[in-house]
Amino acid sequence: MKTVTDAERVLGQIERGECRVGPDAAREIAARHEAAYGAAWPADHAWTDAVNALTTAGDSQ
């Protein structure tokens, strides 16, 4: 029996569609969490602005 590393196992799960990764998946998870539990930072949009700046910074390069 071949020993499978954690990295190989996780990459296989991603390839099979068993779990999602990336900014779109993260945004969907965050939206579900916010709908269920409320906003983590309701009065502070600086966090959202910082995350958006980081995720869109790579798009222009």
Short mmCIF file of all heavy atoms in Angstrom, two decimals:
data_model
loop_
_atom_site.label_atom_id
_atom_site.label_comp_id
_atom_site.label_asym_id
_atom_site.label_seq_id
_atom_site.Cartn_x
_atom_site.Cartn_y
_atom_site.Cartn_z
N MET A 1 0.84 -1.18 0.00
CA MET A 1 0.00 0.00 0.00
C MET A 1 0.88 1.25 0.00
O MET A 1 1.80 1.37 0.80
CB MET A 1 -0.91 -0.02 1.23
CG MET A 1 -1.79 1.17 1.36
SD MET A 1 -2.85 0.99 2.82
CE MET A 1 -4.30 1.71 2.17
N LYS A 2 0.60 2.15 -0.92
CA LYS A 2 1.39 3.37 -1.05
C LYS A 2 1.00 4.36 0.04
O LYS A 2 -0.18 4.57 0.31
CB LYS A 2 1.15 4.00 -2.42
CG LYS A 2 1.91 5.28 -2.63
CD LYS A 2 1.56 5.91 -3.97
CE LYS A 2 2.38 7.14 -4.21
NZ LYS A 2 1.76 8.37 -3.84
N THR A 3 1.99 4.96 0.66
CA THR A 3 1.74 6.00 1.64
C THR A 3 1.44 7.31 0.90
O THR A 3 2.19 7.71 0.02
CB THR A 3 2.96 6.19 2.55
OG1 THR A 3 3.26 4.95 3.18
CG2 THR A 3 2.70 7.24 3.59
N VAL A 4 0.33 7.92 1.27
CA VAL A 4 -0.07 9.18 0.64
C VAL A 4 0.21 10.33 1.60
O VAL A 4 -0.18 10.27 2.77
CB VAL A 4 -1.58 9.14 0.29
CG1 VAL A 4 -2.03 10.44 -0.32
CG2 VAL A 4 -1.88 7.99 -0.64
N THR A 5 0.88 11.34 1.11
CA THR A 5 1.16 12.50 1.96
C THR A 5 -0.11 13.33 2.12
O THR A 5 -1.06 13.21 1.34
CB THR A 5 2.26 13.38 1.36
OG1 THR A 5 1.77 13.96 0.14
CG2 THR A 5 3.53 12.60 1.09
N ASP A 6 -0.12 14.17 3.13
CA ASP A 6 -1.26 15.07 3.33
C ASP A 6 -1.48 15.95 2.10
O ASP A 6 -2.61 16.19 1.68
CB ASP A 6 -1.05 15.94 4.56
CG ASP A 6 -1.22 15.17 5.86
OD1 ASP A 6 -1.81 14.08 5.84
OD2 ASP A 6 -0.76 15.67 6.90
N ALA A 7 -0.39 16.43 1.52
CA ALA A 7 -0.49 17.30 0.35
C ALA A 7 -1.15 16.56 -0.82
O ALA A 7 -2.03 17.11 -1.50
CB ALA A 7 0.89 17.81 -0.06
N GLU A 8 -0.75 15.32 -1.05
CA GLU A 8 -1.35 14.53 -2.13
C GLU A 8 -2.83 14.27 -1.88
O GLU A 8 -3.66 14.35 -2.79
CB GLU A 8 -0.62 13.20 -2.28
CG GLU A 8 0.80 13.33 -2.82
CD GLU A 8 1.56 12.02 -2.73
OE1 GLU A 8 1.35 11.24 -1.78
OE2 GLU A 8 2.40 11.80 -3.64
N ARG A 9 -3.17 13.99 -0.63
CA ARG A 9 -4.56 13.73 -0.27
C ARG A 9 -5.42 14.97 -0.50
O ARG A 9 -6.50 14.90 -1.10
CB ARG A 9 -4.65 13.30 1.20
CG ARG A 9 -6.05 13.00 1.67
CD ARG A 9 -6.08 12.62 3.15
NE ARG A 9 -5.37 13.54 4.01
CZ ARG A 9 -5.86 14.71 4.42
NH1 ARG A 9 -7.05 15.10 4.03
NH2 ARG A 9 -5.16 15.49 5.21
N VAL A 10 -4.94 16.12 -0.05
CA VAL A 10 -5.70 17.36 -0.20
C VAL A 10 -5.82 17.75 -1.67
O VAL A 10 -6.90 18.14 -2.14
CB VAL A 10 -5.06 18.49 0.63
CG1 VAL A 10 -5.69 19.84 0.31
CG2 VAL A 10 -5.17 18.19 2.11
N LEU A 11 -4.74 17.63 -2.42
CA LEU A 11 -4.82 17.96 -3.85
C LEU A 11 -5.79 17.04 -4.57
O LEU A 11 -6.53 17.47 -5.47
CB LEU A 11 -3.43 17.89 -4.48
CG LEU A 11 -2.47 19.00 -4.05
CD1 LEU A 11 -1.07 18.75 -4.62
CD2 LEU A 11 -2.97 20.36 -4.47
N GLY A 12 -5.83 15.78 -4.18
CA GLY A 12 -6.80 14.85 -4.76
C GLY A 12 -8.23 15.27 -4.45
O GLY A 12 -9.11 15.20 -5.31
N GLN A 13 -8.47 15.70 -3.22
CA GLN A 13 -9.81 16.17 -2.85
C GLN A 13 -10.23 17.38 -3.68
O GLN A 13 -11.37 17.47 -4.12
CB GLN A 13 -9.86 16.52 -1.36
CG GLN A 13 -9.78 15.32 -0.45
CD GLN A 13 -9.67 15.71 1.00
OE1 GLN A 13 -9.07 16.72 1.35
NE2 GLN A 13 -10.27 14.89 1.87
N ILE A 14 -9.30 18.28 -3.90
CA ILE A 14 -9.59 19.47 -4.71
C ILE A 14 -9.89 19.06 -6.15
O ILE A 14 -10.87 19.51 -6.75
CB ILE A 14 -8.42 20.47 -4.65
CG1 ILE A 14 -8.30 21.04 -3.23
CG2 ILE A 14 -8.62 21.60 -5.66
CD1 ILE A 14 -7.01 21.80 -2.97
N GLU A 15 -9.07 18.18 -6.70
CA GLU A 15 -9.26 17.73 -8.08
C GLU A 15 -10.61 17.02 -8.27
O GLU A 15 -11.26 17.16 -9.31
CB GLU A 15 -8.13 16.80 -8.50
CG GLU A 15 -6.81 17.50 -8.70
CD GLU A 15 -5.66 16.54 -8.95
OE1 GLU A 15 -5.88 15.30 -8.94
OE2 GLU A 15 -4.53 17.02 -9.14
N ARG A 16 -11.03 16.26 -7.26
CA ARG A 16 -12.30 15.54 -7.35
C ARG A 16 -13.50 16.42 -7.03
O ARG A 16 -14.64 15.99 -7.14
CB ARG A 16 -12.28 14.34 -6.39
CG ARG A 16 -11.31 13.25 -6.81
CD ARG A 16 -11.44 12.01 -5.94
NE ARG A 16 -11.16 12.27 -4.53
CZ ARG A 16 -9.95 12.22 -3.97
NH1 ARG A 16 -8.89 11.93 -4.71
NH2 ARG A 16 -9.79 12.45 -2.68
N GLY A 17 -13.25 17.67 -6.63
CA GLY A 17 -14.34 18.57 -6.31
C GLY A 17 -14.93 18.34 -4.93
O GLY A 17 -16.03 18.82 -4.63
N GLU A 18 -14.22 17.64 -4.07
CA GLU A 18 -14.70 17.38 -2.72
C GLU A 18 -14.58 18.59 -1.81
O GLU A 18 -15.26 18.69 -0.80
CB GLU A 18 -13.95 16.19 -2.11
CG GLU A 18 -14.20 14.89 -2.86
CD GLU A 18 -13.32 13.76 -2.37
OE1 GLU A 18 -12.57 13.94 -1.40
OE2 GLU A 18 -13.40 12.67 -2.97
N CYS A 19 -13.69 19.50 -2.15
CA CYS A 19 -13.56 20.75 -1.41
C CYS A 19 -13.16 21.85 -2.41
O CYS A 19 -12.61 21.56 -3.46
CB CYS A 19 -12.56 20.65 -0.27
SG CYS A 19 -10.91 20.18 -0.77
N ARG A 20 -13.51 23.05 -2.06
CA ARG A 20 -13.22 24.18 -2.94
C ARG A 20 -12.18 25.07 -2.30
O ARG A 20 -12.09 25.16 -1.08
CB ARG A 20 -14.49 24.98 -3.20
CG ARG A 20 -15.51 24.18 -3.98
CD ARG A 20 -16.76 24.99 -4.27
NE ARG A 20 -16.41 26.24 -4.90
CZ ARG A 20 -17.08 27.37 -4.70
NH1 ARG A 20 -18.13 27.41 -3.91
NH2 ARG A 20 -16.71 28.49 -5.30
N VAL A 21 -11.42 25.75 -3.14
CA VAL A 21 -10.40 26.67 -2.66
C VAL A 21 -10.46 27.94 -3.50
O VAL A 21 -11.08 27.97 -4.55
CB VAL A 21 -8.98 26.06 -2.76
CG1 VAL A 21 -8.86 24.84 -1.86
CG2 VAL A 21 -8.64 25.68 -4.18
N GLY A 22 -9.80 28.97 -3.02
CA GLY A 22 -9.69 30.20 -3.78
C GLY A 22 -10.58 31.31 -3.24
O GLY A 22 -11.39 31.11 -2.34
N PRO A 23 -10.41 32.49 -3.81
CA PRO A 23 -11.13 33.66 -3.30
C PRO A 23 -12.65 33.56 -3.43
O PRO A 23 -13.37 33.99 -2.54
CB PRO A 23 -10.57 34.83 -4.09
CG PRO A 23 -9.70 34.27 -5.14
CD PRO A 23 -9.46 32.83 -4.86
N ASP A 24 -13.14 32.98 -4.51
CA ASP A 24 -14.60 32.87 -4.68
C ASP A 24 -15.20 31.95 -3.62
O ASP A 24 -16.24 32.26 -3.02
CB ASP A 24 -14.96 32.36 -6.07
CG ASP A 24 -14.66 33.38 -7.15
OD1 ASP A 24 -14.61 34.59 -6.83
OD2 ASP A 24 -14.47 32.97 -8.31
N ALA A 25 -14.55 30.83 -3.37
CA ALA A 25 -15.03 29.91 -2.35
C ALA A 25 -14.97 30.57 -0.97
O ALA A 25 -15.90 30.43 -0.17
CB ALA A 25 -14.20 28.63 -2.36
N ALA A 26 -13.90 31.29 -0.70
CA ALA A 26 -13.76 31.97 0.59
C ALA A 26 -14.86 33.01 0.78
O ALA A 26 -15.42 33.14 1.87
CB ALA A 26 -12.39 32.62 0.69
N ARG A 27 -15.18 33.74 -0.27
CA ARG A 27 -16.24 34.74 -0.18
C ARG A 27 -17.60 34.09 0.09
O ARG A 27 -18.40 34.60 0.87
CB ARG A 27 -16.29 35.58 -1.45
CG ARG A 27 -15.15 36.56 -1.56
CD ARG A 27 -15.30 37.45 -2.79
NE ARG A 27 -14.08 38.20 -3.01
CZ ARG A 27 -13.14 37.88 -3.89
NH1 ARG A 27 -13.28 36.82 -4.67
NH2 ARG A 27 -12.05 38.61 -4.02
N GLU A 28 -17.87 32.96 -0.56
CA GLU A 28 -19.13 32.26 -0.34
C GLU A 28 -19.22 31.74 1.09
O GLU A 28 -20.27 31.84 1.73
CB GLU A 28 -19.29 31.11 -1.33
CG GLU A 28 -19.55 31.58 -2.74
CD GLU A 28 -19.60 30.43 -3.74
OE1 GLU A 28 -19.84 29.28 -3.32
OE2 GLU A 28 -19.41 30.69 -4.93
N ILE A 29 -18.13 31.19 1.60
CA ILE A 29 -18.11 30.70 2.98
C ILE A 29 -18.33 31.87 3.94
O ILE A 29 -19.11 31.77 4.89
CB ILE A 29 -16.79 29.97 3.28
CG1 ILE A 29 -16.71 28.68 2.47
CG2 ILE A 29 -16.64 29.70 4.78
CD1 ILE A 29 -15.34 28.05 2.43
N ALA A 30 -17.65 32.98 3.70
CA ALA A 30 -17.80 34.15 4.56
C ALA A 30 -19.24 34.69 4.52
O ALA A 30 -19.78 35.07 5.56
CB ALA A 30 -16.81 35.24 4.15
N ALA A 31 -19.86 34.68 3.35
CA ALA A 31 -21.24 35.16 3.23
C ALA A 31 -22.19 34.26 4.01
O ALA A 31 -23.09 34.74 4.70
CB ALA A 31 -21.64 35.24 1.77
N ARG A 32 -21.99 32.93 3.92
CA ARG A 32 -22.83 32.01 4.69
C ARG A 32 -22.63 32.20 6.18
O ARG A 32 -23.58 32.19 6.97
CB ARG A 32 -22.53 30.55 4.30
CG ARG A 32 -23.08 30.15 2.95
CD ARG A 32 -23.10 28.63 2.78
NE ARG A 32 -21.82 28.00 3.04
CZ ARG A 32 -20.92 27.70 2.11
NH1 ARG A 32 -21.16 27.97 0.85
NH2 ARG A 32 -19.79 27.11 2.44
N HIS A 33 -21.39 32.40 6.59
CA HIS A 33 -21.09 32.61 8.01
C HIS A 33 -21.76 33.90 8.49
O HIS A 33 -22.37 33.93 9.57
CB HIS A 33 -19.58 32.67 8.21
CG HIS A 33 -19.18 32.76 9.65
ND1 HIS A 33 -19.17 33.95 10.33
CD2 HIS A 33 -18.80 31.81 10.53
CE1 HIS A 33 -18.78 33.73 11.58
NE2 HIS A 33 -18.55 32.44 11.71
N GLU A 34 -21.63 34.96 7.71
CA GLU A 34 -22.24 36.24 8.10
C GLU A 34 -23.76 36.13 8.18
O GLU A 34 -24.38 36.67 9.09
CB GLU A 34 -21.83 37.33 7.12
CG GLU A 34 -22.29 38.70 7.56
CD GLU A 34 -21.69 39.82 6.73
OE1 GLU A 34 -20.51 39.74 6.39
OE2 GLU A 34 -22.44 40.76 6.43
N ALA A 35 -24.36 35.40 7.24
CA ALA A 35 -25.82 35.23 7.26
C ALA A 35 -26.25 34.46 8.50
O ALA A 35 -27.29 34.76 9.09
CB ALA A 35 -26.27 34.51 5.99
N ALA A 36 -25.45 33.49 8.91
CA ALA A 36 -25.81 32.66 10.05
C ALA A 36 -25.50 33.33 11.39
O ALA A 36 -26.26 33.21 12.34
CB ALA A 36 -25.10 31.31 9.97
N TYR A 37 -24.39 34.04 11.47
CA TYR A 37 -23.90 34.53 12.77
C TYR A 37 -23.78 36.05 12.86
O TYR A 37 -23.45 36.56 13.92
CB TYR A 37 -22.53 33.92 13.08
CG TYR A 37 -22.55 32.42 13.02
CD1 TYR A 37 -21.90 31.73 11.99
CD2 TYR A 37 -23.23 31.67 13.97
CE1 TYR A 37 -21.93 30.35 11.93
CE2 TYR A 37 -23.26 30.28 13.91
CZ TYR A 37 -22.61 29.64 12.89
OH TYR A 37 -22.64 28.27 12.83
N GLY A 38 -23.99 36.75 11.77
CA GLY A 38 -23.83 38.20 11.78
C GLY A 38 -22.43 38.60 11.35
O GLY A 38 -21.52 37.78 11.25
N ALA A 39 -22.27 39.86 11.10
CA ALA A 39 -20.99 40.38 10.62
C ALA A 39 -19.94 40.32 11.72
O ALA A 39 -20.21 40.65 12.87
CB ALA A 39 -21.15 41.81 10.13
N ALA A 40 -18.75 39.90 11.35
CA ALA A 40 -17.66 39.84 12.31
C ALA A 40 -17.20 41.24 12.70
O ALA A 40 -16.84 41.50 13.84
CB ALA A 40 -16.49 39.05 11.73
N TRP A 41 -17.19 42.15 11.74
CA TRP A 41 -16.79 43.53 11.97
C TRP A 41 -17.86 44.46 11.40
O TRP A 41 -17.67 45.08 10.36
CB TRP A 41 -15.45 43.83 11.29
CG TRP A 41 -14.33 43.03 11.84
CD1 TRP A 41 -13.59 43.33 12.94
CD2 TRP A 41 -13.80 41.81 11.34
NE1 TRP A 41 -12.65 42.36 13.15
CE2 TRP A 41 -12.75 41.41 12.18
CE3 TRP A 41 -14.13 40.99 10.25
CZ2 TRP A 41 -12.03 40.25 11.97
CZ3 TRP A 41 -13.41 39.84 10.05
CH2 TRP A 41 -12.37 39.47 10.91
N PRO A 42 -19.00 44.57 12.07
CA PRO A 42 -20.12 45.32 11.49
C PRO A 42 -19.83 46.80 11.25
O PRO A 42 -20.33 47.36 10.28
CB PRO A 42 -21.25 45.14 12.50
CG PRO A 42 -20.58 44.74 13.77
CD PRO A 42 -19.32 44.03 13.37
N ALA A 43 -19.03 47.43 12.09
CA ALA A 43 -18.80 48.86 11.92
C ALA A 43 -17.44 49.18 11.32
O ALA A 43 -17.08 50.33 11.14
CB ALA A 43 -18.93 49.56 13.28
N ASP A 44 -16.66 48.15 11.00
CA ASP A 44 -15.30 48.36 10.53
C ASP A 44 -15.12 47.74 9.15
O ASP A 44 -14.98 46.54 9.01
CB ASP A 44 -14.31 47.75 11.52
CG ASP A 44 -12.86 47.97 11.10
OD1 ASP A 44 -12.62 48.73 10.15
OD2 ASP A 44 -11.98 47.37 11.72
N HIS A 45 -15.11 48.57 8.14
CA HIS A 45 -14.96 48.08 6.77
C HIS A 45 -13.49 48.05 6.34
O HIS A 45 -13.19 47.66 5.22
CB HIS A 45 -15.77 48.93 5.81
CG HIS A 45 -17.24 48.87 6.10
ND1 HIS A 45 -18.02 47.79 5.76
CD2 HIS A 45 -18.05 49.74 6.72
CE1 HIS A 45 -19.26 48.01 6.15
NE2 HIS A 45 -19.31 49.18 6.75
N ALA A 46 -12.60 48.43 7.22
CA ALA A 46 -11.17 48.44 6.88
C ALA A 46 -10.68 47.04 6.56
O ALA A 46 -9.87 46.86 5.65
CB ALA A 46 -10.36 49.04 8.02
N TRP A 47 -11.16 46.04 7.29
CA TRP A 47 -10.74 44.66 7.03
C TRP A 47 -11.15 44.23 5.62
O TRP A 47 -10.36 43.67 4.88
CB TRP A 47 -11.35 43.74 8.08
CG TRP A 47 -10.97 42.29 7.88
CD1 TRP A 47 -11.75 41.32 7.38
CD2 TRP A 47 -9.71 41.70 8.15
NE1 TRP A 47 -11.06 40.13 7.34
CE2 TRP A 47 -9.80 40.33 7.80
CE3 TRP A 47 -8.51 42.17 8.66
CZ2 TRP A 47 -8.75 39.44 7.94
CZ3 TRP A 47 -7.46 41.28 8.80
CH2 TRP A 47 -7.59 39.94 8.44
N THR A 48 -12.39 44.51 5.24
CA THR A 48 -12.87 44.16 3.91
C THR A 48 -12.06 44.88 2.84
O THR A 48 -11.68 44.28 1.84
CB THR A 48 -14.36 44.53 3.77
OG1 THR A 48 -15.08 43.85 4.79
CG2 THR A 48 -14.90 44.14 2.42
N ASP A 49 -11.80 46.15 3.06
CA ASP A 49 -11.00 46.92 2.10
C ASP A 49 -9.60 46.34 1.95
O ASP A 49 -9.07 46.24 0.84
CB ASP A 49 -10.92 48.39 2.52
CG ASP A 49 -12.26 49.08 2.47
OD1 ASP A 49 -13.18 48.57 1.78
OD2 ASP A 49 -12.40 50.13 3.12
N ALA A 50 -9.01 45.93 3.07
CA ALA A 50 -7.66 45.36 3.03
C ALA A 50 -7.64 44.04 2.28
O ALA A 50 -6.77 43.79 1.44
CB ALA A 50 -7.12 45.18 4.44
N VAL A 51 -8.62 43.17 2.55
CA VAL A 51 -8.68 41.88 1.86
C VAL A 51 -8.93 42.09 0.38
O VAL A 51 -8.29 41.46 -0.46
CB VAL A 51 -9.77 40.98 2.49
CG1 VAL A 51 -9.99 39.75 1.64
CG2 VAL A 51 -9.38 40.60 3.90
N ASN A 52 -9.84 42.99 0.03
CA ASN A 52 -10.10 43.26 -1.39
C ASN A 52 -8.86 43.81 -2.09
O ASN A 52 -8.58 43.44 -3.22
CB ASN A 52 -11.26 44.23 -1.55
CG ASN A 52 -12.59 43.57 -1.28
OD1 ASN A 52 -12.72 42.36 -1.42
ND2 ASN A 52 -13.57 44.35 -0.88
N ALA A 53 -8.11 44.66 -1.42
CA ALA A 53 -6.89 45.21 -2.00
C ALA A 53 -5.87 44.10 -2.26
O ALA A 53 -5.21 44.09 -3.30
CB ALA A 53 -6.30 46.27 -1.10
N LEU A 54 -5.76 43.16 -1.33
CA LEU A 54 -4.81 42.06 -1.50
C LEU A 54 -5.24 41.11 -2.60
O LEU A 54 -4.41 40.64 -3.38
CB LEU A 54 -4.66 41.29 -0.19
CG LEU A 54 -3.93 42.01 0.94
CD1 LEU A 54 -4.03 41.21 2.22
CD2 LEU A 54 -2.48 42.25 0.57
N THR A 55 -6.53 40.80 -2.68
CA THR A 55 -6.99 39.81 -3.65
C THR A 55 -7.07 40.40 -5.05
O THR A 55 -6.96 39.67 -6.02
CB THR A 55 -8.35 39.22 -3.25
OG1 THR A 55 -9.29 40.26 -3.11
CG2 THR A 55 -8.24 38.44 -1.97
N THR A 56 -7.24 41.70 -5.18
CA THR A 56 -7.31 42.29 -6.51
C THR A 56 -5.95 42.80 -6.97
O THR A 56 -5.76 43.04 -8.15
CB THR A 56 -8.33 43.44 -6.57
OG1 THR A 56 -7.97 44.42 -5.60
CG2 THR A 56 -9.72 42.94 -6.31
N ALA A 57 -4.98 42.92 -6.05
CA ALA A 57 -3.65 43.41 -6.42
C ALA A 57 -2.99 42.47 -7.43
O ALA A 57 -2.31 42.92 -8.35
CB ALA A 57 -2.78 43.57 -5.19
N GLY A 58 -3.18 41.18 -7.27
CA GLY A 58 -2.57 40.21 -8.18
C GLY A 58 -3.23 40.16 -9.54
O GLY A 58 -2.66 39.70 -10.52
N ASP A 59 -4.48 40.65 -9.64
CA ASP A 59 -5.20 40.60 -10.91
C ASP A 59 -4.59 41.51 -11.97
O ASP A 59 -4.65 41.23 -13.14
CB ASP A 59 -6.67 41.01 -10.71
CG ASP A 59 -7.41 40.00 -9.85
OD1 ASP A 59 -6.91 38.87 -9.70
OD2 ASP A 59 -8.49 40.35 -9.36
N SER A 60 -3.98 42.62 -11.54
CA SER A 60 -3.46 43.57 -12.50
C SER A 60 -2.04 43.27 -12.94
O SER A 60 -1.49 43.91 -13.79
CB SER A 60 -3.52 44.99 -11.90
OG SER A 60 -2.71 45.06 -10.74
N GLN A 61 -1.43 42.27 -12.31
CA GLN A 61 -0.04 41.95 -12.65
C GLN A 61 0.05 40.92 -13.73
O GLN A 61 -0.73 40.13 -14.01
CB GLN A 61 0.69 41.43 -11.41
CG GLN A 61 0.81 42.51 -10.37
CD GLN A 61 1.49 41.97 -9.11
OE1 GLN A 61 1.75 40.77 -8.97
NE2 GLN A 61 1.76 42.86 -8.19
#
